[in-house]
């Protein structure tokens, strides 16, 4: 069971913003791998909207989900 819940939102397709947030919260390591064992990440709001990296952002979040579930 998660001991920590982190909610983020309105990424607007910005992979750079997502990486900054996740690194700042120490949820991913320098290589972008999930490292927060007892944390549940909740993404609220827009993944797809204005930004040009929506597909890349969605793919990255999907990879993190798989990594988190395997830990």
């Amino acid at each position: 069971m998660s001991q920590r819940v982190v909610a983020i939102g309105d990424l607007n397709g910005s992979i750079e913003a997502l990486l900054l947030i996740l690194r700042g919260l120490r949820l991913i390591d320098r290589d972008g791998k999930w490292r927060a064992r007892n944390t549940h990440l909740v993404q609220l709001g827009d993944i797809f909207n204005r930004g040009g990296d929506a597909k890349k952002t969605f793919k990255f979040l999907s990879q993190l989900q798989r990594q988190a579930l395997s830990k």
Side-chain angles (χ1 to χ4, degrees):
M1 179 159 198
S2 299
Q3 296 177 357
R4 179 180 178 203
V5 176
V6 175
I8 58 174
D10 291 329
L11 294 172
N12 294 319
S14 176
I15 188 72
E16 293 303 320
L18 176 60
L19 293 173
L20 283 172
I21 292 166
L22 297 179
R23 285 187 184 123
L25 293 169
R26 302 181 62 105
L27 299 180
I28 60 172
D29 63 18
R30 295 179 117 172
D31 297 322
K33 304 287 187 218
W34 184 255
R35 65 180 297 250
R37 292 191 190 277
N38 295 321
T39 301
H40 188 90
L41 176 64
V42 180
Q43 198 290 311
L44 306 164
D46 299 326
I47 295 174
F48 307 102
N49 194 6
R50 297 179 192 96
D53 289 328
K55 186 175 180 180
K56 190 174 183 179
T57 302
F58 183 77
K59 183 177 178 180
F60 183 75
L61 285 169
S62 296
Q63 290 171 349
L64 286 183
Q65 181 180 28
R66 286 191 297 277
Q67 292 170 19
L69 291 172
S70 70
K71 298 214 180 236

